């Protein structure tokens, strides 16, 4: 998409807001599972997303932002959530991290595509900066995944299990 600066900023604000909301849900869920370590990682992610959101809002001062139409930027649910609105409350730390990583990767690709396809120099510059930031998030989640035990119970691997 050949975004104008205003379009790009509006989408980036929506993307970061979505990320903050989803991370807050994941953090609460991990807390309910008594997994304080992963909960605090997700709370850090909430903070980063909010900081990023706020700095984009600040960058958008004086820019008249378009109202976004329907946009496919909700986070994708993990398969075991069955496409419902809510997360699967039984989501374990490993799957929660993997799920967050998938969505961070999408954000990274989104920003990087926006930068490549836009002909606006400022969009290119900001998109490259944001994509680099998302790359760091993907790496942080990779580090955690490497340290987190993959669920070994056979039912945990089966997304179609009965509940
Ligand atoms: Zn991110």
């Amino acid at each position: 998409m050949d975004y104008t600066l205003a379009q790009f900023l509006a989408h980036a604000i929506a993307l970061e807001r979505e990320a903050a909301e989803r991370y807050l849900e994941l953090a609460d869920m991990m807390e309910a599972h008594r997994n304080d370590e992963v909960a605090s990682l997700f709370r850090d992610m909430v903070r980063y997303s909010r900081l990023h959101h706020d700095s984009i809002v600040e960058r958008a001062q004086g820019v008249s932002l378009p109202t976004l139409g329907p946009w496919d930027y909700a986070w994708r649910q993990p398969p075991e959530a069955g496409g419902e609105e809510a997360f699967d409350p039984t989501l374990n730390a490993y799957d929660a991290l993997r799920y967050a990583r998938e969505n961070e990767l999408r954000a990274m690709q989104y920003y990087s595509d926006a930068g490549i396809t836009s002909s606006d120099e400022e969009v290119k510059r900001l998109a490259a900066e944001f994509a680099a930031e998302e790359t760091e998030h993907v790496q942080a989640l990779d580090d955690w995944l490497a340290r987190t035990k993959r669920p070994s119970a056979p039912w945990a691997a089966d997304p179609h299990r009965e509940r």
Side-chain angles (χ1 to χ4, degrees), residues 53-126:
H53 171 270
D54 292 351
S55 82
I56 302 167
V57 168
E58 202 169 303
R59 176 63 188 79
Q61 288 283 325
V63 178
S64 136
L65 297 179
T67 310
L68 294 184
W71 181 45
D72 175 34
Y73 208 82
W75 272 32
R76 277 189 199 145
Q77 297 298 324
E80 46 270 61
E84 294 300 317
E85 281 299 298
F87 284 114
D88 180 349
T90 66
L91 199 64
N92 58 65
Y94 186 88
D95 288 338
L97 288 162
R98 212 180 42 180
Y99 162 67
R101 185 196 187 276
E102 261 173 44
N103 284 287
E104 289 290 344
L105 198 62
R106 283 175 68 219
M108 188 200 86
Q109 280 159 354
Y110 176 76
Y111 283 136
S112 124
D113 289 349
I116 290 166
T117 52
S118 177
S119 49
D120 184 292
E121 283 310 311
E122 179 66 354
V123 171
K124 283 184 176 301
R125 191 185 69 79
L126 289 171

Side-chain angles (χ1 to χ4, degrees), residues 15-16 19 23 45 48-49 52 75 104 107 133-134 137-138:
L15 189 156
E16 297 300 332
Y23 274 124
M45 293 303 225
Y48 298 145
S49 302
H52 198 200
W75 272 32
E104 289 290 344
E133 199 164 316
E134 299 308 334
H137 296 169
V138 172

